[in-house]
Amino acid sequence: MSLFDLAEERAGGLEQMPLAARMRPRSLEEFLGQEEIVGPETFVGRAIRLDRVPSMIWYGPPGSGKTTLAYIIRAGTKRHFARMSAVETGVADILHAAEAARLRQQEKGQGTILFVEEIHRLNKGQQDRFLPFVEDGTFVLIGSTTENPFFHLIPPLLSRCRVVVFNPLRDEQIRTIVERALADEERGYGKEEIALEPEAMEHLVVNSAGDARHA
């Protein structure tokens, strides 16, 4: 189960969720890092705020905000947001998602955003199945990957998507994320009055290697 799933399953209460899932940013205002991607004057930032997100491939290391940004888009879009994991996806799942998106557009006039995690795990034949649906606008495809898409994705799919590169979070950003978790009384440890010695904070920041989830 991914953190994306955990963020949706609140039956057990926030206290039952991992800290990384509880502290996931809920809006662009809370989103930390990747200013060159989601800043108010950037292409992606404007597209999200206007709810006009195009097909994209997000490439970056773990914990850099790819899934979190997808969660933020889902919360703010008027389009239907669907998710699939490439690890569990076959051709039949892709065709089913396309048919559901087509019916949704015909019956409700509602578009679809399809978020595919670890899209590099799909083989070339599976990737090829996306082409006509991205081409004719059946759905907007957002694929996330930790592997270089220019080596792992087929050129026809890349030509139909904008490649967006996520960078590891900087040390000061990781430090801010940890401080937020310590101070937040609803989702973090704010009610427990936990304090970190400077050496402990530095250890967390350095050893997270730019990965907010790991921190």
Side-chain angles (χ1 to χ4, degrees), residues 48-164:
I48 294 173
R49 290 171 174 86
L50 294 173
D51 195 13
R52 297 178 62 182
V53 174
S55 290
M56 294 182 282
I57 301 298
W58 292 347
Y59 165 45
S64 56
K66 300 186 298 296
T67 301
T68 292
L69 190 58
Y71 190 81
I72 289 171
I73 289 173
R74 188 192 71 163
T77 185
K78 294 180 180 178
R79 288 177 278 187
H80 177 79
F81 189 98
R83 182 194 70 88
M84 63 173 57
S85 171
V87 177
E88 306 164 349
T89 296
V91 170
D93 300 301
I94 297 170
L95 297 178
H96 176 75
E99 181 61 22
R102 185 177 291 113
L103 288 174
R104 195 176 296 115
Q105 180 63 49
Q106 292 173 351
E107 297 175 358
K108 300 180 180 180
Q110 183 185 30
T112 297
I113 297 174
L114 179 62
F115 178 59
V116 181
E117 295 181 286
E118 300 187 86
I119 194 170
H120 63 275
R121 291 180 177 266
L122 297 177
N123 62 42
K124 293 183 178 180
Q126 291 168 329
Q127 293 178 36
D128 192 63
R129 291 290 184 167
F130 284 112
L131 298 179
F133 309 124
V134 174
E135 184 74 30
D136 68 10
T138 298
F139 51 66
V140 168
L141 173 66
I142 299 178
S144 71
T145 176
T146 56
E147 303 295 332
N148 190 327
F150 295 101
F151 291 110
H152 292 271
L153 300 184
I154 60 175
L157 185 58
L158 288 176
S159 72
R160 290 164 172 80
C161 301
R162 178 181 289 259
V163 176
V164 178

Side-chain angles (χ1 to χ4, degrees), residues 166-199:
F166 285 63
N167 295 308
L169 297 181
R170 300 190 299 273
D171 285 356
E172 60 268 26
Q173 293 167 339
I174 294 292
R175 186 174 291 104
T176 298
I177 289 170
V178 174
E179 290 171 346
R180 285 181 180 178
L182 290 173
D184 192 302
E185 295 186 359
E186 176 191 359
R187 298 181 290 161
Y189 295 141
K191 293 181 179 180
E192 301 185 33
E193 299 182 356
I194 296 174
L196 288 181
E197 295 291 339
E199 294 82 1

Side-chain angles (χ1 to χ4, degrees), residues 14-43:
L14 282 173
E15 67 279 359
Q16 301 300 319
M17 297 168 62
L19 180 62
R22 298 202 308 267
M23 292 301 301
R24 183 186 297 283
R26 297 165 292 189
S27 66
L28 282 179
E29 288 67 35
E30 291 184 4
F31 191 80
L32 193 63
Q34 313 303 340
E35 294 88 351
E36 66 281 1
I37 296 175
V38 300
E41 300 304 318
T42 64
F43 171 80

